[in-house]
Amino acid sequence: MKISYNWLREFVDFLQSPEELAELLTRIGLNVDAIEEVGAQWRGVVVGKVLACESLPGSAYLKLCQVDAGTGEKLPIICGAPNIAPGQIVPVALVGAELPGGFKVGERTLRGVLSRGMICSEKELGIGEDAEGILALEDPPPTPPCNSRGGEIPFKIGAPLEEYVGLKDWVFDIEVTINRGDCLSHLGVAREVSAATGPELKLPPVDLEEIDEQTADKVTVEILAPDRCPRYSARMVKGVTIGPSPLWMRERLRSVGIRPIANVVDVTNYALMELGHPLHAFDYDLVSEGKIIVRTAGEGERFITLDEEEHTLTSTDLLIADPEKPVALAGVMGGLNSGIKADTSEVLLECAYFNPVGIRLTSRDRAIGSESSYRFERGVDPEMTIFAVNRSAYLIRQLTGGEVLKGIVDNYPQPWRPRKINLRPGRVNALLATDIEPAEMTGYLQALGCGVDIKPSPPPETGVGIREKATIKVTTPSWRHDLEREIDLVEEVARLHGYDRIGVADTSAVPLSVDTEREQSRRLVQRFKGALVELGLHEAINFSLVPGTDSERFPDGRQPVILKNPLSEDMSRLRTSLGPSLLRAAERSLRAGCADIRLFEWGKCFRMEEGQAAEGYKLAGVIAGTVRPSSWIEKARPFNIHDMKGMIEQLSSKISLDKVNYIYYDIPEYLKIGGCIAIGEGDGQRIIGRFGQMQPAVSDQFGLDLPVWYFEMDGGRLLGLAGAVPHYRPLPRYPAALRDLSFIIDEDLSADRLEEVIRKFGGELLEGVELFDLFRGKGIPPDKKSLAYHLTFRSAERTLSDSEIDQSVGAVIEAASRHLGAALRSQ
Amino acid sequence: MKTIDMRYFAFLTDRLKGDVKDVSSAGDVEQLRVKYLGRKGLLSKASQNFKLIEEPDDRRFYGRGFSEFKKFATSVIEELQAKYQDEKRIDKVDLTLPGRRDFSGGLHPLTQVLEEIIDIFRGMGFTVETGPEAETVYYNFDALNTPHWHPARDLTDTFYLDIPGDDKLNWLLRTETSPVQIRVMERKRPPIRIIAPGRTYRKDKPDATHSPVFMQVEGLYVDKGVTFADLKGTVVAFYRALFGPETDSRFRPHFFPFTEPSAEVDVSCLFCRGEGCRVCKGSGWLEMGGSGMVDPNVLEGVGIDPEVYSGWAFGLGIERIAMLKYGIEDIRLFYENDIRFLEQFD
């Protein structure tokens, strides 16, 4: 909401400078986002007087003027405007001035004659559309009829233009919270300033000088939907002449963000900005029989609003109609068929109170909003209609020469009643940790327009609660729909007392926090992340909203949760997997020139499960590029599937996953090769994740034309299984014996089978088995491979003898041969 | 006639073997070379004895000894030279060459900021709680005292889920982490001292300062006799811990459905310390987030008697803090995960 500093001063005499006022407003809850200085766009434009004016020799229309611009000399200025005349008071842009739009005024020579400045039109000053002639100012300057300081505006030749037209001003951009519809006007903000600073609120003049003719003889109002329209007040002004508003009004409207149109409409907007109550002006001749009917729309009824949009209505929309047709979408916008025209002479002014909920529904469902609906939605003052309609009639009479008919047609089927709320001062002080006297509280509430009555309390009650010395019985004002409960009043007291005057409690002695299961999970997640960071991965955080195409491009078989009202197709559903977003991030980084991609994410994924949205954490990573960074020392080799598996093995051990094993069937569609990570054995076995190389067909779809490695784990299962506490094993006291064995086995036989046999038949003295070589080629038959192992033997009780070890080694060799057909490779 | 000891070369061989043991640098090797193979060295001297031997057999014998020893000494010294040449090369290592590095990963800047915030609250006796992101209208709005007409409920502001059979639009993506507060208060009785960090969603088109997916932390404290001064005390202490001990906090009245009295919290600008600069738009203050005393309706809704208990809540945006802390001007960078961006926070 834009609020003018000068305008505000018409309602309350405050002493604060614009900066001080902004500070004050912010402190009481009307946050000032910005202060804009009005008039600043006219630096170098002053008020001048045309002393003489003669045709420029050799030109049909240019004139050479002598102008007094208060500079102490006569300025020769060449001007082409047809309406220039000696004696006029005019805006003069001096040499060096800069006009809105960036035009710089300099000295010019035309037909050999020097021109030192420029006499400006409305358009050149950016205050109107008239570019035809210069802006002839009135002498003495007009003052806004509303101005309580009328006639005080200083005026002399050479004065800055904004001072002459009373435009030196500051406009505050105020953030009005949704509960404070009453502050969407100068009157409303002034009321707050008055309550916070002391000086009384003043209302603007409304001396109507009505004629004898009665409004009631020309206008009738019938309300068929009193719940939706508790009040409708109407007045007539006749004999108006439609035309532009005077400069002061146009500039004032413009300064608060309203485009001036023509006097009658400008007045209703002016009153809206002033009082916060929307008004509508009808051309009386276009309202059939002068009869206003407030009714709900028929289903499918059509109506064209002022902005030339056609709407198809339903029974939730409220209409202002005459006996033949609708004339306005109540509280939102007037109709194209009944608005003020250039030749309107009789004006029917409407000022009503509409139910906020209904207006909100219409505004939302018809996708139409206006300054009017914005205020009705937040609740206007039902007791304000009479004053607002009178104020508008008064201004229309001032501006258009119209005559105001006697009386108002005021239909008020559901009169407003004040709320009564009890406020316990002890309760206020207990919540705020303050020591505010009840009398001080009543002072604040009265300043806000509440009625108050202090009642001494009955003898103290037993039981819990605060013993109250007194209760303040509060009645709320008609403009404060937000005051409904005691707590609302507590806030009002706190606000006016000042949040900064409430103490800051000492927090140095705080309770202990209890370590919950959630806390332990959080620490475990920190461990997962820490382990991956150690392995050289960067954590990514992606949007959980993803495009619909993800489930086709990255088939994970999960049923996605879809949004009802997405922002765009790109964010139309919740992710079922972390993969696609990680692949997109990888592509983005590769495109930006990164050669190596190592990204992981820990985040929630979603899926439909039994007709419900289910969610759970997942951990996933994407790797592409080399196994370590290339450098001047060595060229790095490409990352491969064994690096991927090594990474999973290291991760598992870093996060203390016990009994990890791998399954190489049942891998998802999107992996070309890879495996499942399983925990436990037999029936207790749980798959917790997958890893491998992406199908090129899948990674291609994400714009990645290089091998991509991927892993994904289920967060819930990880949290349940990881983080085992390591159990200490005593350090060995006797030396180990090392034997190397090299087997030749069938190519098709997997290494784990051989290792399994070695472990099984190595006996209890076999401590460790480590593969150290894999060889195919010279000396090894085709379809065979050679696998070489370090075998470590150790006893906890003694140093082993050669014969004991030979026995175990012999058993291993024999079993490998018998079970797997493995031959020992000759040395 | 001079007696020539025909075993002289065997003696020299032993001596050389002994000398080799004392060699410990390239300089020692050079000394050894001069001593045995130099122009005035032992071998040169031995060659002068040749002409003194008269017996041809003796001369032949002596000659063989001479050449064998020369060969041996040369090879020993060359070997030593080769060994100690490495030492010379090491003396010439160019340490200005870049070191050899491995990949280093890093946590996302939002995680780092969030962890820091959690640490501060843990130290102030708060426990972390979490809750679902796909929420119901009840937890996200109704239980938080949001009026039925509040625009936050509109399809233009909040994402709703398309759940078959849910014609009333009962499911949505939470717009704040406050539903967690309700879930905790339903489950536990006061004293309650929690923070709820997590992802939240609002239907804002992405731009430099808006993101439809973002992160929040909210704090809640409910107990007997909790006051507005406690709220101020905790918030002031928190921002001092986060931004430094010279940080001021300002509380100005505001409106939030689930708190009353409500306050917007500003902190003194981190960049100009309140003088007014570009970041704080000249005001000297930076807006941080909402706070206030838990509305009695919210407490009543979860069966906590507001006449007995009171509480406060406050919230803040993680991205906002991270943007201020790291000087990031576009919120979208956090969710693009460009590695060049992520690397800056390792």
Side-chain angles (χ1 to χ4, degrees):
Chain A
M1 171 81 199
K2 287 191 167 181
I3 292 290
S4 142
Y5 178 80
N6 286 346
W7 202 343
L8 208 53
R9 288 181 75 144
E10 289 169 15
F11 294 91
V12 57
D13 276 318
F14 53 83
L15 302 168
Q16 282 78 2
S17 70
E19 289 74 22
E20 288 165 346
L21 188 70
E23 174 74 30
L24 174 99
L25 291 170
T26 297
R27 220 170 52 229
I28 58 173
L30 293 166
N31 189 32
V32 177
D33 282 333
I35 309 177
E36 183 198 345
E37 200 177 334
V38 179
Q41 76 269 33
W42 288 336
R43 299 204 193 281
V45 182
V46 300
V47 178
K49 184 167 188 176
V50 182
L51 301 174
C53 195
E54 57 194 42
S55 289
L56 188 67
S59 167
Y61 63 96
L62 289 178
K63 295 186 185 100
L64 174 62
C65 308
Q66 300 298 324
V67 178
D68 176 4
T71 54
E73 54 180 330
K74 282 185 196 170
L75 295 178
I77 296 177
I78 295 168
C79 177
N83 65 337
I84 189 94
Q88 275 174 335
I89 304 292
V90 290
V92 179
L94 300 174
V95 170
E98 192 172 331
L99 296 176
F103 180 73
K104 276 204 177 110
V105 179
E107 286 192 359
R108 284 200 308 164
T109 306
L110 273 171
R111 294 176 201 277
V113 179
L114 182 69
S115 178
R116 296 176 56 198
M118 186 172 132
I119 302 171
C120 305
S121 70
E122 284 188 11
K123 183 145 193 197
E124 284 154 350
L125 293 170
I127 57 176
E129 296 307 312
D130 189 356
E132 281 299 298
I134 52 103
L135 171 63
L137 301 168
E138 289 169 53
D139 179 21
T143 56
C146 51
N147 194 327
S148 52
R149 291 178 188 73
E152 277 178 28
I153 292 172
F155 163 50
K156 67 179 190 341
I157 296 297
L161 181 67
E162 68 264 24
E163 282 181 21
Y164 170 87
V165 284
L167 291 176
K168 180 76 176 165
D169 198 0
W170 293 264
V171 175
F172 301 117
D173 202 344
I174 296 182
E175 177 198 355
V176 178
T177 52
I178 195 165
N179 60 326
R180 293 302 303 274
D182 65 295
C183 287
L184 293 172
S185 67
H186 286 78
L187 175 68
V189 173
R191 202 182 271 130
E192 291 283 301
V193 173
S194 157
T197 60
E200 260 180 47
L201 195 67
K202 296 175 294 183
L203 288 175
V206 280
D207 323 318
L208 285 175
E209 297 180 33
E210 295 167 310
I211 58 171
D212 287 339
E213 200 174 344
Q214 296 275 345
T215 301
D217 290 342
K218 299 199 70 168
V219 179
T220 55
V221 173
E222 187 181 0
I223 302 178
L224 298 178
D227 287 348
R228 302 287 303 274
C229 176
R231 188 173 199 179
Y232 194 106
S233 311
R235 220 187 216 296
M236 283 283 299
V237 183
K238 66 180 218 179
V240 303
T241 308
I242 303 299
S245 298
L247 186 61
W248 66 263
M249 178 174 271
R250 282 184 283 145
E251 278 312 291
R252 193 156 256 191
L253 287 174
R254 211 192 302 276
S255 73
V256 295
I258 304 288
R259 190 169 60 90
I261 298 161
N263 47 20
V264 171
V265 175
D266 288 351
V267 164
T268 59
N269 283 331
Y270 190 88
L272 175 64
M273 291 298 137
E274 193 173 55
L275 308 173
H277 204 118
L279 291 114
H280 187 65
F282 294 103
D283 183 327
Y284 178 77
D285 289 339
L286 301 175
V287 177
S288 176
E289 301 168 33
K291 183 167 183 181
I292 292 290
I293 302 164
V294 185
R295 62 170 173 85
T296 50
E299 286 293 333
E301 190 168 357
R302 284 167 179 271
F303 183 62
I304 301 174
T305 41
L306 268 174
D307 55 2
E308 300 183 28
E309 289 287 326
E310 186 171 22
H311 302 274
T312 305
L313 309 177
T314 70
S315 58
T316 56
D317 297 311
L318 190 67
L319 285 173
I320 309 301
D322 65 19
E324 294 166 3
K325 61 186 184 298
V327 291
L329 194 52
V332 181
M333 200 175 280
L336 192 59
N337 59 9
S338 55
I340 301 298
K341 310 270 183 296
D343 61 354
T344 298
S345 73
E346 294 192 312
V347 174
L348 168 56
L349 277 172
E350 161 199 293
C351 189
Y353 175 70
F354 298 112
N355 184 307
V357 177
I359 301 298
R360 202 170 293 121
L361 286 175
T362 293
S363 174
R364 192 190 68 188
D365 296 345
R366 305 295 145 249
I368 178 173
S370 62
E371 291 283 347
S372 164
S373 65
Y374 187 74
R375 285 169 179 77
F376 278 124
E377 282 173 22
R378 283 159 177 76
V380 301
D381 181 357
E383 296 286 283
M384 175 60 84
T385 61
I386 303 291
F387 187 82
V389 81
N390 284 345
R391 174 67 176 155
S392 303
Y394 166 83
L395 286 172
I396 290 172
R397 179 171 162 268
Q398 298 281 321
L399 263 53
T400 70
E403 295 174 306
V404 180
L405 272 64
K406 193 182 282 300
I408 295 174
V409 174
D410 182 23
N411 203 333
Y412 200 179
Q414 292 190 353
W416 168 82
R417 284 181 224 297
R419 277 194 204 87
K420 292 185 170 57
I421 307 169
N422 288 340
L423 178 68
R424 295 164 294 171
R427 173 82 175 155
V428 176
N429 285 324
L431 278 174
L432 303 179
T434 47
D435 201 9
I436 306 169
E437 286 296 323
E440 205 180 336
M441 296 183 193
T442 57
Y444 294 140
L445 294 170
Q446 278 174 310
L448 291 167
C450 293
V452 291
D453 186 11
I454 300 198
K455 287 264 187 293
S457 283
E461 298 160 28
T462 51
V464 289
I466 303 120
R467 237 193 287 151
E468 296 288 349
K469 282 182 278 188
T471 298
I472 306 174
K473 293 192 174 300
V474 180
T475 49
T476 61
S478 55
W479 55 87
R480 289 299 299 271
H481 303 283
D482 60 319
L483 302 182
E484 296 177 313
R485 300 169 297 154
E486 183 185 35
I487 195 71
D488 301 325
L489 301 177
V490 173
E491 181 170 67
E492 292 307 290
V493 171
R495 215 163 56 82
L496 287 185
H497 182 70
Y499 280 12
D500 49 352
R501 288 171 68 194
I502 297 172
V504 177
D506 181 8
T507 53
S508 54
V510 297
L512 296 174
S513 72
V514 185
D515 211 9
T516 59
E517 207 174 296
R518 271 166 227 261
E519 269 301 326
Q520 289 162 15
S521 295
R522 192 175 69 79
R523 282 203 297 272
L524 209 45
V525 171
Q526 284 178 332
R527 262 181 79 182
F528 302 160
K529 289 185 179 182
L532 287 161
V533 167
E534 273 183 65
L535 290 166
L537 276 71
H538 276 106
E539 184 192 12
I541 297 183
N542 285 296
F543 273 6
S544 20
L545 300 175
V546 297
T549 48
D550 273 7
S551 40
E552 296 140 41
R553 298 201 287 175
F554 192 95
D556 57 13
R558 296 171 194 134
Q559 179 77 39
V561 180
I562 296 167
L563 298 197
K564 190 89 182 170
N565 55 333
L567 264 176
S568 64
E569 159 51 33
D570 269 3
M571 295 186 272
S572 60
R573 56 195 60 201
L574 289 160
R575 60 184 178 189
T576 51
S577 166
L578 301 172
S581 318
L582 282 171
L583 291 171
R584 272 189 288 272
E587 193 273 333
R588 216 172 284 131
S589 291
L590 281 169
R591 191 153 31 92
C594 297
D596 294 294
I597 304 298
R598 297 181 151 227
L599 288 170
F600 78 92
E601 181 167 9
W602 167 267
K604 270 188 176 166
C605 292
F606 303 78
R607 66 203 291 182
M608 288 301 294
E609 229 172 63
E610 292 166 10
Q612 298 247 325
E615 59 192 89
Y617 282 98
K618 288 196 185 296
L619 176 66
V622 162
I623 291 151
T626 59
V627 73
R628 61 163 75 239
S630 288
S631 72
W632 61 274
I633 298 178
E634 60 185 358
K635 261 214 141 48
R637 67 170 169 78
F639 197 87
N640 66 36
I641 187 70
H642 306 292
D643 297 314
M644 178 83 255
K645 189 176 172 192
M647 191 174 266
I648 297 297
E649 287 168 347
Q650 273 186 282
L651 174 65
S652 305
S653 98
K654 278 174 189 290
I655 63 179
S656 302
L657 272 176
D658 259 358
K659 297 199 174 73
V660 182
N661 52 76
Y662 302 94
I663 298 169
Y664 301 101
Y665 48 88
D666 208 17
I667 62 169
E669 259 182 80
Y670 53 78
L671 292 182
K672 182 179 156 196
I673 47 168
C676 299
I677 309 155
I679 302 283
E681 283 146 17
D683 288 347
Q685 189 174 60
R686 294 279 174 275
I687 304 284
I688 61 161
R690 286 153 186 92
F691 70 92
Q693 184 182 352
M694 305 251 10
Q695 286 287 6
V698 174
S699 44
D700 271 2
Q701 300 236 42
F702 292 88
L704 294 158
D705 56 356
L706 76 178
V708 176
W709 313 90
Y710 179 73
F711 69 87
E712 182 183 288
M713 300 193 202
D714 184 87
R717 292 197 168 161
L718 265 184
L719 287 174
L721 296 164
V725 179
H727 192 78
Y728 160 77
R729 287 181 312 257
L731 299 179
R733 293 170 60 196
Y734 297 96
L738 210 71
R739 293 293 171 89
D740 289 351
L741 285 180
S742 191
F743 292 102
I744 296 171
I745 58 169
D746 285 349
E747 184 65 76
D748 290 344
L749 205 61
S750 63
D752 63 338
R753 298 279 308 282
L754 180 57
E755 190 178 321
E756 197 186 334
V757 167
I758 297 172
R759 284 187 189 279
K760 192 170 167 193
F761 293 90
E764 55 186 19
L765 298 176
L766 179 63
E767 185 186 64
V769 180
E770 186 196 345
L771 178 76
F772 71 88
D773 190 36
L774 166 66
F775 181 72
R776 298 179 177 95
K778 204 178 162 201
I780 308 293
D783 306 334
K784 300 268 183 191
K785 60 189 172 190
S786 157
L787 295 167
Y789 293 88
H790 292 306
L791 273 60
T792 319
F793 295 91
R794 197 199 299 269
S795 160
E797 282 110 33
R798 63 187 186 281
T799 302
L800 295 173
S801 68
D802 278 354
S803 65
E804 281 178 295
I805 297 164
D806 288 346
Q807 208 181 336
S808 296
V809 168
V812 167
I813 293 170
E814 197 271 327
S817 163
R818 180 153 45 85
H819 294 287
L820 305 173
L824 210 55
R825 191 177 167 194
S826 51
Q827 298 301 309
Chain B
M1 190 190 127
K2 231 175 158 179
T3 310
I4 303 297
D5 185 343
M6 300 303 280
R7 290 169 306 169
Y8 181 60
F9 295 110
F11 162 74
L12 276 186
T13 302
D14 285 345
R15 189 163 162 193
L16 176 56
K17 280 180 179 168
D19 285 350
V20 164
K21 286 179 187 151
D22 298 331
V23 169
S24 63
S25 71
D28 294 347
V29 178
E30 182 57 14
Q31 272 179 22
L32 203 66
R33 188 190 65 79
V34 172
K35 180 174 172 186
Y36 288 90
L37 303 175
R39 206 155 47 79
K40 292 174 182 170
L42 292 169
L43 208 58
S44 167
K45 278 178 188 159
S47 71
Q48 290 164 16
N49 291 336
F50 241 116
K51 50 185 183 278
L52 303 176
I53 301 168
E54 287 163 9
E55 271 308 303
D57 276 359
D58 286 351
R59 283 180 72 126
R60 213 174 300 125
F61 181 75
Y62 188 88
R64 196 159 64 237
F66 179 87
S67 62
E68 271 177 13
F69 178 73
K70 187 178 177 183
K71 201 173 156 193
F72 171 71
T74 306
S75 84
V76 164
I77 284 165
E78 275 175 2
E79 209 171 283
L80 285 169
Q81 277 172 339
K83 182 176 169 194
Y84 287 98
Q85 198 163 18
D86 271 357
E87 186 190 77
K88 269 190 192 163
R89 201 182 288 145
I90 286 166
D91 288 344
K92 283 185 189 163
V93 161
D94 180 0
L95 278 174
T96 65
L97 286 167
R100 183 171 164 286
R101 305 179 65 158
D102 212 333
F103 284 121
S104 74
L107 292 175
H108 195 282
L110 292 178
T111 299
Q112 295 185 39
V113 168
L114 182 58
E115 291 296 336
E116 190 179 347
I117 290 169
I118 290 173
D119 277 351
I120 295 169
F121 276 109
R122 292 277 294 152
M124 294 199 290
F126 287 77
T127 309
V128 175
E129 289 283 355
T130 54
E133 292 171 23
E135 261 294 1
T136 61
V137 167
Y138 175 78
Y139 285 107
N140 195 76
F141 290 129
D142 299 348
L144 289 162
N145 196 38
T146 314
H148 60 276
W149 49 261
H150 200 285
R153 291 174 178 256
D154 288 352
L155 284 156
T156 49
D157 285 39
T158 296
F159 291 117
Y160 285 84
L161 302 182
D162 193 359
I163 307 282
D166 178 29
D167 300 332
K168 282 186 177 163
L169 289 184
N170 197 32
W171 288 88
L172 46 71
L173 293 177
R174 66 179 179 193
T175 57
E176 54 219 351
T177 57
S178 323
V180 178
Q181 302 182 0
I182 302 298
R183 289 177 179 275
V184 170
M185 286 193 285
E186 279 180 344
R187 206 173 65 223
K188 282 177 64 177
R189 295 292 91 179
I192 292 169
R193 232 174 135 84
I194 57 155
I195 53 165
R199 283 190 191 218
T200 48
Y201 302 80
R202 283 181 203 173
K203 203 174 166 186
D204 288 326
K205 284 212 171 65
D207 64 23
T209 54
H210 295 87
S211 177
V213 181
F214 59 102
M215 279 194 227
Q216 270 197 339
V217 175
E218 294 198 346
L220 172 74
Y221 179 27
V222 180
D223 202 353
K224 283 178 187 160
V226 174
T227 70
F228 198 93
D230 293 320
L231 164 66
K232 286 181 73 175
T234 308
V235 169
V236 167
F238 168 71
Y239 281 114
R240 289 202 171 141
L242 188 66
F243 292 135
E246 62 281 22
T247 309
D248 277 338
S249 298
R250 172 173 86 166
F251 296 76
R252 54 187 164 78
H254 205 78
F255 172 75
F256 305 107
F258 45 96
T259 52
E260 187 155 15
S262 298
E264 189 81 49
V265 182
D266 299 338
V267 299
S268 51
C269 180
L270 319 174
F271 301 93
C272 61
R273 288 293 161 204
E275 296 285 309
C277 67
R278 194 179 60 88
V279 179
C280 59
K281 292 184 202 138
S283 71
W285 295 99
L286 296 171
E287 196 174 309
M288 282 294 133
S291 68
M293 301 302 291
V294 181
D295 195 288
N297 284 354
V298 173
L299 294 175
E300 250 165 43
V302 292
I304 294 176
D305 184 355
E307 289 289 314
V308 179
Y309 293 101
S310 54
W312 57 250
F314 93 103
L316 54 102
I318 306 301
E319 286 86 353
R320 167 113 173 115
I321 306 267
M323 287 169 89
L324 290 170
K325 181 170 171 169
Y326 300 119
I328 296 166
E329 288 182 349
D330 192 327
I331 195 171
R332 288 169 293 197
L333 284 165
F334 291 119
Y335 293 97
E336 282 171 4
N337 300 298
D338 187 321
I339 291 176
R340 296 169 303 166
F341 172 79
L342 298 176
E343 275 173 348
Q344 297 181 29
F345 309 97
D346 285 356

